[in-house]
Amino acid sequence: MAPPNAITVLEHCRVAPPPDSITQTSLPLTIFDLPFLRFPLVQIIYFYEYPHSKTHFLDSVLPKLKHSLSLTLQHFYPLAGNLIWPPESEKPIILYVNGDSVSLTIAESNSDFYHLSGNHARNCNESHSLLPHLPSSETLAPLLALQFTVFPNYGFCIGITIHHVIVDGHSSTMFSKSWASICRSGDSSLSPELLPFYDRTVIKDPEGLEKFFLNKFVKPTESESESVDHRAPSNTVKTTFELSRGDIERLKKWVLTRREKDKQTPPLHLSTLVLTCAYVWVCLIRADVKRKRIQLVFPVDCRARLDPPIPLTYFGNCVLGHRVHTEPCDIMGEDGLVIAVEELNKVIRGLESGIHMSTKKKIPSPSEEMEAPIGIAWSNRYRVYETDFGWGRPTKAELISIEKTGAMSLVESRDGAGGVEIGFALNKQEMEVFASIFTNGLKASKL
Ligand SMILES: CC(C)(COP(=O)(O)OP(=O)(O)OC[C@H]1O[C@@H](n2cnc3c(N)ncnc32)[C@H](O)[C@@H]1OP(=O)(O)O)[C@@H](O)C(=O)NCCC(=O)NCCSC(=O)CC(=O)O
């Protein structure tokens, strides 16, 4: 009998797209992909309640998941391929060759399903056994690996590990939703908003940034290449916090009231995302979490903002990080939230004049600076809780890799009522302080 909290591998196999279903075979890396070449792998877990036996899972769920994965890879062929470094080429390419496939592990866990899929603070290491490995060498890196883990009589989860060089948050969640849609319907066709668009010629490089990125990201020093899959320290815990629609409206009202005093100020973009990021930022600074970490890297999806715009279904990386920073003493004050919102608004207002990739400093090298700023991963507009494979909405959708990137993740709240789930990882003591400031701040009359 397995000891408590054990994971048992039941099967290891490979899943390929249907034979002869792929026509295109390679993709070059664009200037949006290159900065993510050495980035930590993207790790996602979707949990689903499924109160049936292991046999039931293996006989009725597993074959559907596998078959629909194969059909989905026909649309998402790069994920079945590899990142390779052709000897004569300056930069790697993504290549699919007939017969390439994705590694799939089937496992059984006797851990507590609700503990692992809950919002409470949990040691980051507890989720690692639910994620597949994606081993790579100096010349070849597979891009996707999957793991299904069944928790008999409770549920199952789908662990996804993807190389960041092939997906941003929009693309990784689009892949999952496409697969779910095919699994649910049993039909390999996809609706237009889920069909990936691959044409790389739409990404221009008028500033000639490729050479700069090749030097910065493709030829790493030894210490940089080690940073690809580093683990969070063992005392790191991950927590999911929630802001309800009511909380967000209260934050909005607070900002508007404080600003009314100054009639000269321009109108603010007070979206859910801006209020959420600003509130978390203020709480982190007030909790004195890593004094230096006062910068946010605010990612902007460039698809609709390029000139000319490119399809929203463009599959790859198309995100540009914008830095936002302010003095901690400003944010410590009573108007901290207003100041944080205004700083974020400067970025949003700047977007009105289009996307400018000429400032090379906008995308930091992981080795030099990524430890300091707090990134923002995913978005409350991805609708990840619609990733329904046919057995209902996920109990929890979680971006695990934020424990390595130091980002906070944003997801729309599961109940669809307009709230937000915020995930991030900190060491245990810092998390306790942060959690108390976050919760008490919402209760207080003075934010
Ligand atoms: C610049 C932005 C961050 C700004 O976002 P905002 O939410 O503030 O602004 P917005 O214009 O999208 O929306 C503002 C308001 O418009 C309305 N609105 C806009 N779009 C809507 C839609 N599709 N459906 C319904 N309402 C919509 C809402 O009322 C919303 O207010 P309200 O919100 O109050 O309802 C965003 O446009 C953007 O580019 N987001 C993408 C971020 C991103 O790419 N993240 C992924 C990082 S990579 C990653 O994640 C990789 C990884 O690590 O895995």
Side-chain angles (χ1 to χ4, degrees), residues 27 82 143 148 173 177 322 396:
L27 283 180
N82 293 285
L143 295 164
F148 306 151
T173 52
K177 280 195 277 182
H322 288 70
K396 184 77 183 286

Side-chain angles (χ1 to χ4, degrees), residues 42 164 169 269 271-273 298-301 305 319 377-378 381-382:
V42 177
H164 210 320
H269 174 96
S271 66
T272 302
L273 181 135
F298 190 68
V300 169
D301 192 319
R305 295 176 168 112
V319 168
W378 278 9
R381 235 182 277 304
Y382 284 169

Side-chain angles (χ1 to χ4, degrees), residues 78-356:
L79 295 177
N82 293 285
L83 181 73
I84 60 153
W85 278 259
E88 70 288 359
S89 168
E90 219 186 346
K91 62 173 186 173
I93 58 162
I94 288 164
L95 182 69
Y96 170 84
V97 291
N98 212 4
D100 277 349
S101 56
V102 169
S103 162
L104 170 64
T105 305
I106 323 294
E108 175 182 2
S109 170
N110 63 3
S111 297
D112 182 340
F113 176 81
Y114 294 104
H115 171 67
L116 292 176
S117 59
N119 286 351
H120 56 273
R122 201 173 43 248
N123 192 301
C124 287
N125 295 332
E126 292 185 60
S127 306
H128 290 165
S129 61
L130 307 177
L131 286 159
H133 293 291
L134 196 56
S136 62
S137 71
E138 274 302 302
T139 52
L140 184 137
L143 295 164
L144 171 69
L146 294 155
Q147 179 172 324
F148 306 151
T149 306
V150 59
F151 299 77
N153 304 315
Y154 292 98
F156 65 92
C157 70
I158 300 180
I160 304 176
T161 305
I162 314 190
H163 204 301
H164 210 320
V165 81
I166 183 67
V167 284
D168 58 14
H170 181 87
S171 291
S172 62
T173 52
M174 178 178 157
F175 162 69
S176 305
K177 280 195 277 182
S178 301
W179 176 17
S181 156
I182 288 176
C183 189
R184 215 170 46 236
S185 68
D187 175 356
S188 70
S189 59
L190 285 171
S191 55
E193 77 278 7
L194 292 177
L195 259 183
F197 176 89
Y198 289 115
D199 183 357
R200 269 25 187 178
T201 63
V202 298
I203 304 289
K204 313 284 183 219
D205 182 15
E207 306 286 337
L209 293 176
E210 180 174 289
K211 204 166 176 48
F212 172 81
F213 287 156
L214 282 173
N215 280 328
K216 198 171 169 87
F217 300 108
V218 179
K219 299 167 188 145
T221 63
E222 213 163 279
S223 61
E224 279 172 330
S225 61
E226 280 165 12
S227 71
V228 173
D229 200 16
H230 59 271
R231 286 186 171 235
S234 60
N235 62 345
T236 309
V237 294
K238 170 147 190 275
T239 309
T240 305
F241 296 89
E242 282 189 275
L243 285 177
S244 67
R245 190 71 238 161
D247 294 329
I248 290 158
E249 290 307 321
R250 264 175 13 91
L251 294 175
K252 192 183 285 186
K253 204 167 152 202
W254 169 264
V255 170
L256 290 172
T257 313
R258 299 295 301 177
R259 273 187 111 234
E260 251 172 33
K261 288 187 269 159
D262 183 358
K263 303 278 183 210
Q264 304 299 314
T265 50
L268 282 179
H269 174 96
L270 281 176
S271 66
T272 302
L273 181 135
V274 164
L275 288 160
T276 303
C277 294
Y279 184 63
V280 173
W281 192 17
V282 168
C283 292
L284 279 168
I285 287 179
R286 291 188 181 160
D288 201 19
V289 169
K290 297 192 176 59
R291 282 166 186 269
K292 288 185 299 185
R293 301 187 76 178
I294 52 166
Q295 292 184 73
L296 291 192
V297 176
F298 190 68
V300 169
D301 192 319
C302 301
R303 289 169 176 82
R305 295 176 168 112
L306 290 174
D307 183 19
I310 66 171
L312 295 181
T313 51
Y314 174 86
F315 188 83
N317 284 287
C318 198
V319 168
L320 190 59
H322 288 70
R323 291 204 174 212
V324 197
H325 51 88
T326 185
E327 293 304 319
C329 55
D330 293 340
I331 284 203
M332 295 296 275
E334 213 181 348
D335 278 334
L337 185 67
V338 182
I339 291 166
V341 164
E342 281 176 345
E343 290 301 324
L344 290 165
N345 266 257
K346 284 182 194 162
V347 172
I348 306 243
R349 272 197 286 275
L351 297 174
E352 285 160 19
S353 63
I355 291 290
H356 306 290

Side-chain angles (χ1 to χ4, degrees), residues 34-51:
L34 289 172
F36 292 103
L37 197 58
R38 311 274 166 190
F39 228 68
L41 300 167
V42 177
Q43 297 171 310
I44 302 166
I45 306 181
Y46 293 94
F47 290 90
Y48 295 87
E49 275 179 342
Y50 189 72

Side-chain angles (χ1 to χ4, degrees), residues 336-404:
L337 185 67
V338 182
I339 291 166
V341 164
E342 281 176 345
E343 290 301 324
L344 290 165
N345 266 257
K346 284 182 194 162
V347 172
I348 306 243
R349 272 197 286 275
L351 297 174
E352 285 160 19
S353 63
I355 291 290
H356 306 290
M357 283 198 73
S358 55
T359 312
K360 294 166 184 171
K361 281 185 185 155
K362 273 182 183 164
I363 299 182
S365 146
S367 64
E368 287 167 21
E369 298 174 84
M370 275 318 286
E371 266 311 291
I374 300 162
I376 300 154
W378 278 9
S379 153
N380 56 313
R381 235 182 277 304
Y382 284 169
R383 307 200 313 266
V384 294
Y385 281 106
E386 291 177 13
T387 313
D388 174 359
F389 286 81
W391 299 280
R393 291 156 67 80
T395 312
K396 184 77 183 286
E398 223 176 340
L399 184 63
I400 301 290
S401 36
I402 55 168
E403 71 186 56
K404 296 173 188 166

